[in-house]
Each structure stands twice: as C-alpha cells, then as structure tokens.
C-alpha cells in the first residue's frame, strides 16, 4: 500500500470503555474495578494485611447524553441543500474525534468484529411526487431534543446491523498488510494510529453511514439519532426505566412514544437522476462519426437573384451543394469528392470523374462580374458598366441605373477592389485567383458562412457600436486636435517660408559676405524656447550640453539689445529710422558679432548724481558663461549656425507633431508615428467567442446534423477552418461597413473579431503575460496580414513559419450524454500512449498487449509531449459538449511507430465517498473486483437497504484476465485479500468494498477516427 492510501478500522475505543467485555445489564454498561487494600503487619514478622476489593462501576451511556456540540461534526455527505447527490451513493457523516461514534456504546464488540455505535444516521424522504413524507416533525416542548415521528417504519435500516456501517478512517497506511484479521488488537495498526494522531491529528476521523438505497430526483432529510433506547428516551424526556442498555431505539414493539426519534443533528438534500460518474462514463461508447455529420444539402439549382442563372454541378442531383459548419469529419480533405470539387477548384481527381470547365467556371465569372460592378460604377457610367456584363447576365442589357451588387467580402483587408482582375483590367495570376478572397466570394458555400457573420452584426449593431465607441476613448478628441494641428502646420509652413526662410543666407556687402541676421531678429520672442548646442559658440562647452538660444544671445557679443522689441520696432521696414537711413540693417547682427561695429558706450552719470554702487553677483564656476569667454568677455554668437538652429527648431513639421503627441493620450497602437500627422484610424476588439451566435441561429447552423450523433457517444471531429474563416470574414466585413456608416474613425482594415472558440480553459504557458496569452489563443491573425497568396482555411493563429509543413486541423472531442451536464468539473485531457514494461528481466517494452497511458514525471507539471489540455470548449444544448485539442488526426492516431494519444475522462478526486454501482442497461456486470459490486447483488429483493440478515453472499467472480484492463488486474490482487461480502463481514471490510474510488476512463483516438488514408 502507498502513502496515498486510506486505512479503515472497524471501531475504536479509549479509556475505561476498552474494559467493556460482557453484557452491560440495565441502563448503562458496567465494568469491574478492582481495588487492592494493603497495610502494615500488626506484629513484627507478621503477614501484612491485603485484600482485593472488586466493585462494579457504571459508565456513562447513551441515556446520559441529551445533545452534542455541532463542532464535533467535521463533514456531511452530501453537503446540506445539495441537489445533485448520486442516488446509488450512501449518505454519511464524519466526526472529528476518532472514537466519538463508540464513546458511549454500552455493548462489547460482537463475534463478527462489529461494535454498534451509540449513534445512527437515518435518511427519510420528504413529501414529493412519489408520495407523502416518511416522517412528521414533532411539536416543541416534549423533551430536551427536537424529534420526529417516523410514519414509514420500513424506511429505517435494521438496527442490529448498525455496527457494519461505522468505522474509523485514516489517511495513509497503518500496517504493511492490506488486511489485519485481529479485530481486537488490529495488529500493529493501533500503535501506528497513535503515532499518526500524535504527528497529524487531522488525518483521522470516525464515520457513520446510512445503508439506504436512495431514489433518483427525491428530496431527503438526514437525522443523527440515538441508536439505543436509553438514548431515545433521554432525548424525549422519558424515564429510562428498567430496560437493557443494548435495546435498540427502533424496531422493538411496545415501547413508550413508539415511532418518535429525537435527533442531535439534521440536514436536507436532494438526489439527481440515476447514475454516478462511473455509471455515466461507462455509458459512453466511442464511435467513428459518419456522413452526414458536419454537412447538409444546400439547393442552389434555382437562380439566387441578381440576374444570375442557377448553379449546375457534376453531382446528382445537379445544383445541390454540401454546406458545412464549424466542424467536419476527420480527414475529410484527404479524399476530394465531386461535391467538394463542384467547381473543379482542385482539378480532376479521378479518371472516371466527368469533365468539367476549368476553375473559375462560367457561373463564377458571371458572379465575379456582378460583384465587380460596384467598383466599375466608380469609373464609368452605370449604363456602360451594365452593358459590359450583359453578355454573361442578360438581365443587365439596357439597364441604365446602378444595380445592387453582392458584397465583395474582405475587399478592404486584402486591398482587392475587383475579382479575377486588377483595377485596370489585367487578369490576376493563377495563385491569386485561388486565394482566400476568391474562394470565399466565388463559392456559394463560403458566401453563406460569411453571410451568417453579416447577420450577426446586423442583429447586434447597436450593442456592438456602443462597445466600439467605449473602446475608442480619446481618439475622437485626438482627431479634433490632429485636424487643428494639420491647419496649424500648413499655416506655420506658409509663414515660415514667407517671413523667416527668406531672411536667411549670406548678404554681399562692400566689406564682403556677411550672414543675414534678420531671421534672428524676427524670431527673438521664441529664443528662450529654442535649444541649440553651444559647440559652435565656444569650445569650452561640456559634451552634449545644450543652451537656449536666448541665453546664447544674451551672453554673446550681440547681446539682447539688437533683438529687443524696441530695436525690432525702430528697424522694421518703413519705420522713420529706416526711411532716413535708406539702407538695410539685415547684416547688423553679423557685424556686431564680427566686431565690425559696436554699441555706443553707456553715458556717464552727471556730476554730483549719487548712484548706488553696482554690485557684481558672483556666478558659480560650473556655469558655462564663466568657463570660456572671448577676450572681450563675450561669446562669439556665430550668426549662421544660430540662425540655422532657430529656423530648424521653429519648423512647423517638428513643433506641431511634438505638441500634438504631448497633448493627447492615446494607446501605443493608435499614437501617430514617424512624423505622420494623420487622423487616428481605429477599430474595436471583441474577444467574445462567436460560435455562440451560430448556436443561437440553430445547432445545424453551427454544425450540420450534429444531433445525429447517438446519445451516450464520444467521437472526434476536426475544425472546418474554411467555414470558420469565412464566418469571421463576414463578421469583420460587415462590422467595417457599420463603423464607416456610423462615422467611426476607421480605414475598414481592422479585424474586430478574431475569436471563434472559447479559449478560457486553455492553460497559460510559463512566464506568459495575459496579453500574450490572449494573442496566442485568437483563432485567426489580423486579416490584413493574411496576404493575397493565402488560401482559405490556411490562416491559423499564430501564423506558421513559411518553411513549416501545413498545420493539421485541430481535433475536437465531442461528448453526447449526461456525464458533463452532471459533472461539469470532470478532468478531460489527451494523454500520450506507450507500451507497458515487461514483468521481470530482461525488461523493456511489452508489445504483446495493449498500449497504456505514458508514465508522467513526478513532482513537475506534465510536459506537452505527454499531456495536452483542451485549448477551447463549446456546448450545444441540451447534452453535446465539445473540447478542442491542438492535435491533428494523424498525430492522435499514431504513425510511423508512434503510439498516438488517449483521450481521458477522469472524475476529479475529492473527499471519500461510499456506495454501490447501479446496473448498466445490459444487466449487472460480473464482480471481478469489488468496485464492480452493484445494488442488485447485495439487495436482490429491492428492499432499499444493504442488509446482512438475508444471508446474501457475493464472492469475487472468476477473473477473465482481460489484457485491455491492466488496472483491474492490479486491483484484484488487493481485493482478493479482503473477506468476501457475507452476513458476518466486518465494518472495515464493508468500508473497503463500499468505497468508491475516482474513475478514470481512457479511449484511444483510433477508436474514434477512421483509418488513415493511404497515399
């Protein structure tokens, strides 16, 4: 046995109760207590007096208890108010203290090794559709305990067998042997139990079960009641009288207040329909899904409208296509039949196939021309465009008005305004004619799938647009700023070129070439905000230092006076001074900088004028102005470089962009980039799994003929990526149209819908952020990234490497039955198969039998090469469940020596549970292991209880040695050590047999997939 095992003891007593060995007598159990009296001898050398005294002592019993602390109860099964308890399981109650169930029992253990507890658990039905309640609540004031009156005595278990349904439970093994036959000493188990309780006191408890077979969908009340008559009378406030201490509390006629039972504790629950996990999972039969699952006929032989003729196909009847859904039969693409190749898209597949026109056929060319009319109307009159197509669609002959055309799905994402040709009429290359845009738009099956997406958006347009505007956030305000910034930039560029740029460059004078300084004078108010490197002004500036141009000017030879507002005013063109000078002062700044002219010295103060002394404030040595100056104490400005810095710094292309980026708060994906001052083009994101919208239309819209799968079946289908991509294209195409209609700032190339399945069950990868996980689990990449050469159905997310082989379609496990509706938390996963190990030397894999589940490493998370968890799930009411796995059919089957994969359905382990199996529809199974024991075996008469007084014996059946079930063979080796089911079975053996271990069922993919097609 392993440390993870459970141990069961038939009973446990401590203290004086271990001395109870005989009949208890009246009222209470009695044990002899011996007292030895000794004294000193009266004479020297005499015999000391000694006399043993034996006195009977009564122990507290059930008649002395009128209540229990609710905290002694550690667990109730089922929990109070549960509504889905399995009717084949036994209700039970656990006590934290290991000896509590037998603490006040007055009797000694029976010859069978059973010890009747002083408490009993009875379960009685409430009033319901099957009849009245089996009890009535008693009125208050009758005694110290509340009570009930049992109106159906047959609903109470036999009182003489209560000892078989109470035991001690210990987590872990207590003995090396599986079974200890010493019911009194219990081998070394008791000493080991003491060590367990000393180190881990929470590892054990006592348990009392009710052996009643419950009915499905019935309400019940469970009562913890006295098991002995003395306890019943004490709870009712009746004198105990001269009755035997072992008299049971029910089943004895002539007792006072017969039928009344006081109770210490009570709770209620209801049962579910018949079937526990094991029963329901055994009902599931692996099958191979067959046609027509995943397909339905679509009649297209009639005209679809728009003047198009009806469709003709090489199939019989002609014009009938097979419309798919989100799932298809596995390997359905390996054999292309005439229904799939109706338009000769794949070319002739068999020599016996009837000849067909090349793809695209005449009908598809007419459809393409009709779709292209929308683009043609942009460049020519409606009459001319209609006349050009009249040869293929005669209804357009003479039509002078534009006609409504079918949509070209994906036109904005693929930048494809026309089908079959470029906008100038040049035919497209063969690869593009077969790409996803053409396949979707020229095949009625995929146009229907895209139309489903269109209908979803049209039905939920208000809700979707409200969510879209909420996601837009600051983008609308940002666009208003951007439009204002565009105007400001244009005005700035105009003013810059008119007033500043023309005032730069060199000016030829009589003294030589001088730099035009007018631009510096005009821009003087902005100098404090324009930065420039001082490297050209002084060699002593620190590397990387920048100064404001205003600071450079103030510390230079030019100083601020020539650029002051007063100087600009008196030297402006047309001023009085400039008219008198009749010359230009554009070179004045440069001449001052070159020391050709200098400012007039300041006037001396008049004699006698008292002026305050000018104090020079020292400047810290770290300031560049004091680190390096010219000989005259001032920097050389270098007018040319400073002018260049000012003109560049005031360029509207730079200043406007910097200001707008700082002024608006936009997500990184929407912020202006690379100097582009354009309005924000946004699109919303909807992560809702969109398969649910198809289910709202109908199950056949989601997966045609899915309801033809038989009940209680399990099979494998695979993703129909062409249908899913077409549906998502329709969603995104129609949403782009709606966004544009609602004046949403969009270029219609966004992909709001990328999620088809529900990926919430997919586990995150190590160190993966929530954003990265969400991106990885999208079903398609953004549509504008598909490319014009991509085929329909070959656009998975994430996009595979260009050199990688084509990715197989994901398998989807389809379960139809009650199992997951009743057990929604069942663990379902794919597990790698391997050969079992040979027994004994020389070892190695044993390939003579069946494959088994691969061994998993201990202490670490199972690697993906051994275990795969579902990556998405779906549900189709009422009882169909779908779970997707990133496994292809070939990988799951196993090929080239690979053993493939099992699909595992596992009951989640939890607290211990007890019960018996219900018989399967084909009758009771042979009891090869005790887990196969069913109610019909122990209760053949259908009395509703596990009874031992009917002399029912159930031995283990002869084991057939089925190699398909190695776990059963291992279990039988333990089960054979336990006493068979018989009337004198002990409580520990009964607990072992009744214990319901969590069930695991594994089915190999080969049982649910067709054989691999041969190339």
């Amino acid at each position: 046995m392993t440390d993870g095992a459970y141990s069961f003891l038939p009973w446990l007593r401590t203290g004086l109760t271990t001395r109870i060995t005989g009949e208890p007598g009246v009222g209470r159990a009695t044990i002899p207590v011996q007292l030895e009296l000794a004294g000193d001898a009266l004479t020297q050398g005499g015999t000391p007096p000694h006399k043993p005294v034996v006195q009977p002592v009564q122990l507290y019993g059930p008649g002395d208890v009128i209540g229990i602390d609710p905290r002694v109860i550690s667990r109730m099964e089922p929990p109070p108010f549960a509504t889905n308890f399995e009717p084949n399981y036994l209700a039970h109650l656990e006590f934290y203290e290991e000896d509590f169930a037998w603490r006040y029992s007055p009797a000694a253990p029976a010859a069978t090794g059973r010890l009747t507890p002083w408490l009993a658990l009875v379960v009685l039905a409430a009033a319901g559709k099957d009849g009245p309640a089996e009890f009535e609540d008693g009125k208050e004031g009758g005694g110290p305990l509340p009570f009930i009156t049992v109106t159906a005595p047959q609903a109470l278990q036999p009182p003489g067998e209560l000892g078989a349904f109470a035991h001690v439970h210990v987590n872990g093994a207590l003995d090396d042997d599986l079974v200890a036959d010493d019911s009194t000493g219990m081998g070394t188990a008791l000493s080991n139990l003491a060590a367990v309780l000393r180190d881990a006191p929470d590892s054990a408890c006592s348990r009392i079960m009710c052996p009643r077979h419950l009915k499905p969908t019935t309400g019940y009340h469970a009562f913890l009641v006295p098991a002995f008559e003395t306890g019943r009378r004490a709870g009712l406030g009746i004198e105990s009288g001269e009755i035997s201490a072992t008299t049971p509390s029910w089943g004895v006629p002539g007792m006072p207040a017969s039928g009344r039972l006081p109770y210490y504790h009570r709770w209620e629950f209801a049962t579910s329909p018949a079937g526990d996990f094991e029963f329901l999972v055994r009902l599931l039969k692996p099958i191979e899904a067959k046609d027509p699952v995943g397909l339905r006929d679509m009649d297209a032989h009639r005209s679809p409208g728009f003047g198009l003729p009806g469709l003709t196909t090489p199939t019989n009847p002609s014009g009938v296509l097979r419309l798919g859904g989100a799932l298809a039969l596995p390997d359905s693409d390996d054999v292309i039949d005439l229904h799939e190749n109706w338009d000769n898209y794949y070319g002739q597949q068999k020599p016996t196939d009837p000849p067909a026109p090349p793809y695209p056929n005449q009908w598809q060319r007419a459809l393409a021309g009709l779709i292209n009319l929308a683009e043609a109307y942009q460049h020519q009159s409606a009459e001319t465009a209609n006349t050009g197509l009249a040869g293929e669609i005669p209804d357009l002959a003479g039509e002078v008005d534009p006609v409504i055309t079918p949509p070209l799905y994906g036109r904005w994402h693929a930048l494809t305004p026309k089908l079959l040709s470029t906008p100038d009429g040049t035919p497209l290359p063969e690869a593009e004619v077969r790409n996803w845009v053409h396949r979707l738009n020229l095949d009625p099956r995929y146009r229907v799938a895209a139309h489903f997406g269109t209908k979803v958006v049209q039905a939920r347009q208000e809700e979707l647009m409200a969510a879209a505007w909420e996601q837009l956030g600051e983008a609308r305000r940002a666009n208003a700023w951007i439009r204002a910034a565009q105007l400001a930039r244009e005005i700035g560029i105009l003013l810059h070129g008119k007033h500043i740029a023309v005032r730069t460059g060199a000016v030829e004078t009589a003294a030589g070439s001088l730099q035009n300084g007018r631009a510096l004078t005009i821009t003087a108010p902005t100098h404090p905000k324009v930065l420039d490197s001082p490297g050209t002004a002084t060699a002593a500036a620190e590397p990387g230092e920048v100064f404001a141009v205003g600071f450079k000017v103030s510390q230079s030879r030019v100083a601020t006076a020539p650029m002051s507002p007063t100087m600009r005013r008196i030297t402006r063109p047309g001023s009085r001074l400039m008219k008198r000078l009749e010359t230009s002062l554009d070179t004045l700044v440069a001449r001052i900088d070159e020391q050709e002219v200098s400012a007039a010295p300041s006037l001396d103060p008049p004699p006698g004028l008292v002026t305050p002394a000018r104090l020079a404030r020292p400047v810290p040595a770290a300031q560049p102005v004091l680190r390096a100056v010219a000989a005259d104490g001032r920097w050389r400005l270098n007018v040319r470089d400073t002018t260049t810095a000012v003109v560049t710094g005031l360029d509207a292309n730079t200043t406007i962009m910097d200001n707008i980026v700082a002024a608006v708060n936009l997500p990184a994906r929407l912020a202006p980039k690379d100097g582009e001052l354009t309005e924000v083009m946004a699109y919303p994101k909807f992560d809702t799994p969109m398969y649910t919208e198809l289910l709202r239309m109908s199950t056949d819209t989601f997966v045609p003929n899915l309801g033809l799968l038989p009940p209680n079946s399990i099979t494998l289908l695979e993703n129909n990526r062409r249908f899913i991509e077409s549906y998502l294209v329709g969603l995104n195409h129609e949403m782009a149209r709606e966004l544009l209609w609602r004046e949403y700032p969009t270029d219609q190339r966004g992909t709001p819908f990328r999620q088809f399945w529900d990926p919430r069950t997919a586990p995150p990868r190590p160190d993966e952020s929530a954003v990265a996980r969400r991106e990885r689990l999208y079903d398609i990449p953004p549509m504008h990234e598909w490319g014009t050469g991509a085929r329909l159905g070959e656009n998975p997310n994430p996009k595979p490497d260009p050199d990688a082989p084509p990715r197989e379609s994901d398998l989807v496990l389809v379960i139809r039955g009650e199992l997951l509706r009743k057990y929604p938390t069942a663990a379902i996963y794919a597990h790698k198969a391997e050969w079992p190990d040979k027994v004994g030397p020389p070892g190695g894999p044993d390939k003579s039998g069946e494959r088994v589940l691969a061994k998993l490493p201990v202490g670490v998370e199972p690697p993906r090469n051994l275990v795969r968890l579902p990556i998405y799930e779906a549900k189709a009411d009422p009882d169909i469940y779908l779970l997707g796995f990133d496994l292809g059919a070939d990988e799951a089957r196993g090929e080239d020596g690979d053993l493939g994969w099992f699909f595992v359905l596992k009951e989640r382990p939890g607290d211990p549970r007890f019960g018996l199996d219900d018989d399967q529809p084909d009758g009771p199974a042979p009891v090869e292991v005790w887990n196969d024991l069913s109610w019909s075996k122990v209760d053949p008469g259908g009395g509703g209880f596990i009874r031992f007084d009917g002399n029912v014996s159930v031995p283990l059946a002869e084991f057939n040695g089925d190699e398909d079930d190695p776990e059963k063979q291992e279990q039988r080796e333990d089960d054979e050590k336990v006493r068979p089911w018989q009337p004198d079975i002990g409580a520990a053996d009964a607990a072992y047999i009744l214990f319901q271990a969590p069930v695991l069922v594994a089915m190999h993919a080969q049982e649910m997939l067709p054989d691999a097609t041969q190339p």
Side-chain angles (χ1 to χ4, degrees), residues 439-450:
R439 186 80 191 279
L440 189 159
N441 284 282
L442 298 181
D443 192 319
R445 298 172 299 172
Y446 303 122
R447 289 193 67 87
V448 167

Side-chain angles (χ1 to χ4, degrees), residues 48-70:
H50 175 271
K51 182 179 181 180
V53 178
V54 179
Q55 179 67 32
V57 176
Q58 289 187 341
L59 302 179
Y60 281 127
D64 300 300
V65 180
I66 56 173
I68 64 172
D69 190 334

